[in-house]
Amino acid sequence: MERLPPNQASLSRGVPDAKPGTIFVLSVAGGVSLDAGPHRTILFGRNRPEVHVCIGEDDPRVSRMHGSISHRSGQWYVAVTGRLPVRFPRQRTLFAGEDPIPLAAGYTPLFVQGSSGREHLLEVYVVGDSGTRPVPRPRESTHPPRVWQLSPAEKLALIVVGQRYLLHDLHPLPLSWRQAADQLAELQPTESWTAKRVEHLVSNVRSRLSRDGVPGLTREEVGEPVGNALNDNMFRELLLSTTLVPADLDLLD
């Protein structure tokens, strides 16, 4: 195991050339790198003398020995032993006692929720088969997100139903079909806006996105009780893809 230099930049920028399978782990307190191999483990937590990577050293909500990253069966796995879960990208969380989660090649940020809303970052980078760091591409054209095609009626209905998402509510929920229909009828008095029409338009968009590979938009995927999960997942995709953006709220004025 090797200590990373004190001036080590964020692992999101890549790592030095290394053998495939080598792992780099970094926090604001420093980090380490370790070649792949059986029974190799990196410990992380608050108690600096007993862990390899210290995280949340001044925050008592972080456990002294919060978790580990171990190599087995040709892959690195994250396990949690602390009181608080570790959050992975896409809002996935891992709790103590659960099966370890494997790490994919490349960069993975891990988060531990601390005191007073603080979040402690543990950066992890697993070197892939090529063993090389990402190549800077300052002159390459930006790859745009996939913007989903919507009819004018679909877009307006979605803006109204999902306006709390566009307003950056902390815990947004879609408007009910009746609430949306009433607001749409005020915006377009000559159109035949009903709760059924709004539901039909939104459901058609959700089905179309699901057929094109967007996950979490069917009852089979989400399971019962469904609640607002299907539409919540759909609106998050529409915002992340920039199909809907906050400026669209101007249409409601």
Side-chain angles (χ1 to χ4, degrees):
M1 186 179 297
E2 295 184 11
R3 302 297 307 182
L4 297 181
N7 60 348
Q8 174 67 48
S10 169
L11 301 183
S12 63
R13 302 177 183 175
V15 297
D17 291 347
K19 294 187 298 185
T22 300
I23 191 169
F24 292 75
V25 183
L26 179 68
S27 74
V28 295
V32 298
S33 65
L34 183 61
D35 292 345
H39 312 300
R40 298 196 172 184
T41 296
I42 296 173
L43 304 175
F44 62 90
R46 175 166 50 92
N47 191 353
R48 184 186 291 268
E50 295 186 4
V51 298
H52 301 112
V53 179
C54 185
I55 178 174
E57 187 172 22
D58 62 346
D59 192 337
R61 289 201 68 187
V62 179
S63 295
R64 290 183 286 269
M65 186 76 70
H66 204 93
S68 64
I69 304 174
S70 302
H71 192 271
R72 56 185 172 84
S73 303
Q75 199 162 12
W76 292 99
Y77 287 82
V78 179
V80 174
T81 55
R83 291 180 178 272
L84 295 175
V86 169
R87 192 179 85 248
F88 284 68
R90 298 182 178 274
Q91 302 300 317
R92 185 177 184 182
T93 54
L94 177 65
F95 291 81
E98 290 190 310
D99 290 339
I101 291 179
L103 288 165
Y107 178 74
T108 303
L110 306 176
F111 299 90
V112 179
Q113 185 77 45
S115 304
S116 304
R118 296 172 65 189
E119 283 201 318
H120 303 282
L121 170 64
L122 187 72
E123 297 185 87
V124 182
Y125 195 106
V126 178
V127 177
D129 291 338
S130 66
T132 58
R133 64 190 302 172
V135 178
R137 300 175 179 177
R139 299 184 181 278
E140 185 171 317
S141 299
T142 301
H143 296 177
R146 177 176 182 178
V147 178
W148 300 96
Q149 295 300 310
L150 303 172
S151 70
E154 288 174 340
K155 183 166 185 176
L156 183 59
L158 287 164
I159 292 169
V160 171
V161 174
Q163 59 188 272
R164 291 168 181 162
Y165 293 83
L166 296 168
L167 288 166
H168 305 297
D169 281 9
L170 287 179
H171 306 289
L173 288 173
L175 265 62
S176 71
W177 307 132
R178 172 50 55 195
Q179 288 174 312
D182 289 346
Q183 188 169 349
L184 286 161
E186 292 181 10
L187 291 168
Q188 295 182 332
T190 60
E191 297 291 328
S192 301
W193 286 109
T194 65
K196 279 293 183 184
R197 184 186 179 196
V198 175
E199 181 180 5
H200 180 73
L201 286 170
V202 173
S203 297
N204 279 350
V205 173
R206 194 175 64 236
S207 297
R208 200 159 68 238
L209 268 59
S210 179
R211 288 195 301 270
D212 281 347
V214 178
L217 302 185
T218 65
R219 288 180 175 270
E220 292 73 20
E221 293 172 286
V222 172
E224 298 292 347
V226 171
N228 285 310
L230 303 183
N231 285 334
D232 182 72
N233 292 339
M234 178 190 64
F235 279 112
R236 294 186 188 282
E237 166 61 24
L238 292 174
L239 266 65
L240 286 173
S241 65
T242 68
T243 303
L244 298 182
V245 295
D248 289 330
L249 290 169
D250 292 345
L251 293 176
L252 308 188
D253 292 338

